[in-house]
Amino acid sequence: MTEQEIYADLTAEFGDKIIEFVVEETLNPTVVVKADSLADICTYLKDTEALQFDSLMNLAGHDSDGVSDLSVIYHFHSTFLDHYITLKIFTPREDSTVDSVANIYRTADWHEREAWDLYGIKFNGHPDLKRILLEEDWEGHPLKKDYVAAEFYRGMRIAKVK
Amino acid sequence: MGALNHKFNENILITSLDKLLNWSRSGSEWYFQFGLACCAIEMMSAAAARHDLERFGAMPRSSPRQADVMIVAGTVTLKMATRVKRLYEQMAEPKYVISMGSCANSGGPYWQHGYHVLKGVDQIIPVDVYIPGCPPRPEALIEGLLHLQKKMREEPRLAKKEGQE
């Protein structure tokens, strides 16, 4: 199926939970969906005979400008039918919370921990949501564009030495 | 050795214990097998057949207890920095540190915006030799090791240091 057909299929199934279909020259065609129905949509993508999206290739947090909402982007691939789709959800900057899909796609487990670590996006229902790259006692989420690096970490200077 | 020269038979050499110890020590720079980033690739290459670090008595050890030299080969993240310090403390005296490449020297490309990178490993452990490069070629690492050998040979071992009783 083409992305356009998958989008039509999702709209028929989920109605107004599907917000829009974005096609840009340089990006994969993306379906923007409402965050609260993400888990349902993922289950549908995985279990429907005509779609069979068995692989979540990638999950990424994203901060476009440091002011507007954060987003999470999901790249799916069906290894049986060899088609692709990209989902995108938006979540508020402060207390950003998304439902975890780690119990649907195992890939999401570490990827969601990474998004939590670097963007501070909480994933509800994640089995073990803790930092994956930075130390446990790190403060802040450094890939957010409004992040300001601390001067010291455990007595080691972070800012450049003058 | 002045007056003692040629006083003995041919197969006896006269030297000071300091020199003997330093000579033997500098000929066995066992380095800690410890790669942090792409510099480690060059370190491996330096140890492998073409450059063959063992010509200089330098061979990799996997335990800090057995190593004389720590080659900090790569980017020291703040998370790794605490481990680097602990591993350095686990090495037996006398111990030496070679800072290999721009990252270990000064933070390298992460100098300005790397929120997660230590800006120079000399902030946490004392460094004996700095090797510039990004990454330095094996020849540069070998030169660094030879510089360290030179430094080791000039060190007083048994003689009383200045101010020592």
Side-chain angles (χ1 to χ4, degrees), chain A residues 108-149:
Chain A
D109 187 335
W110 283 18
H111 285 62
E112 285 176 352
R113 281 175 61 190
E114 189 184 22
W116 156 247
D117 192 358
L118 301 176
Y119 290 97
I121 299 165
K122 286 195 198 72
F123 290 88
N124 277 337
H126 188 282
D128 185 22
L129 192 65
K130 60 181 185 188
R131 288 186 185 273
I132 191 168
L133 295 170
L134 298 165
E135 289 267 45
E136 283 289 300
D137 61 350
W138 191 274
E139 281 174 25
H141 303 281
L143 287 197
K144 284 172 93 166
K145 290 196 174 163
D146 52 1
Y147 174 81
V148 182

Side-chain angles (χ1 to χ4, degrees), chain B residues 3 25 37 42 53 61-62 65 71 104 111 139 164:
Chain B
R25 205 163 258 155
E42 300 297 315
L53 272 186
R61 304 303 298 171
S62 301
R65 305 284 186 207
I71 301 177
W111 169 248
E139 291 91 327
Q164 204 176 18

Side-chain angles (χ1 to χ4, degrees), chain A:
Chain A
M1 284 170 101
T2 64
E3 284 90 349
Q4 186 72 48
E5 287 164 349
I6 294 165
Y7 168 65
D9 189 90
L10 284 175
T11 313
E13 181 70 23
F14 290 97
D16 62 352
K17 299 290 184 193
I18 310 296
I19 299 170
E20 59 174 332
F21 184 56
V22 183
V23 183
E24 282 179 46
E25 204 177 330
T26 53
L27 298 176
N28 297 325
T30 302
V31 182
V32 182
V33 304
K34 284 192 175 163
D36 55 4
S37 54
L38 178 77
D40 294 339
I41 295 172
C42 285
T43 312
Y44 179 78
L45 286 177
K46 194 178 186 186
D47 295 343
T48 307
E49 191 70 21
L51 299 174
Q52 293 188 51
F53 280 105
D54 56 321
S55 163
L56 173 63
M57 294 192 299
N58 183 37
L59 183 161
H62 178 55
D63 181 5
S64 55
D65 53 10
V67 182
S68 53
D69 287 352
L70 301 176
S71 52
V72 186
I73 297 151
Y74 302 78
H75 295 263
F76 297 94
H77 176 225
S78 168
T79 56
F80 301 110
L81 306 174
D82 195 23
H83 55 202
Y84 299 84
I85 194 67
T86 306
L87 294 189
K88 185 174 186 179
I89 54 133
F90 285 96
T91 174
R93 285 194 82 72
E94 304 305 322
D95 291 324
S96 34
T97 310
V98 186
D99 284 336
S100 170
V101 295
N103 55 348
I104 305 167
Y105 293 99
R106 284 296 307 278
T107 313
D109 187 335
W110 283 18
H111 285 62
E112 285 176 352
R113 281 175 61 190
E114 189 184 22
W116 156 247
D117 192 358
L118 301 176
Y119 290 97
I121 299 165
K122 286 195 198 72
F123 290 88
N124 277 337
H126 188 282
D128 185 22
L129 192 65
K130 60 181 185 188
R131 288 186 185 273
I132 191 168
L133 295 170
L134 298 165
E135 289 267 45
E136 283 289 300
D137 61 350
W138 191 274
E139 281 174 25
H141 303 281
L143 287 197
K144 284 172 93 166
K145 290 196 174 163
D146 52 1
Y147 174 81
V148 182
E151 198 172 347
F152 287 95
Y153 171 72
R154 293 195 191 177
M156 294 176 283
R157 182 177 271 278
I158 299 175
K160 63 177 176 179
V161 186
K162 301 226 162 60

Side-chain angles (χ1 to χ4, degrees), chain B residues 42-56 137-139 142:
Chain B
E42 300 297 315
M43 184 169 74
M44 285 181 255
S45 170
R50 181 172 289 260
H51 297 283
D52 194 13
L53 272 186
E54 286 196 35
R55 288 180 296 160
F56 308 104
R137 279 191 53 85
E139 291 91 327
I142 290 169

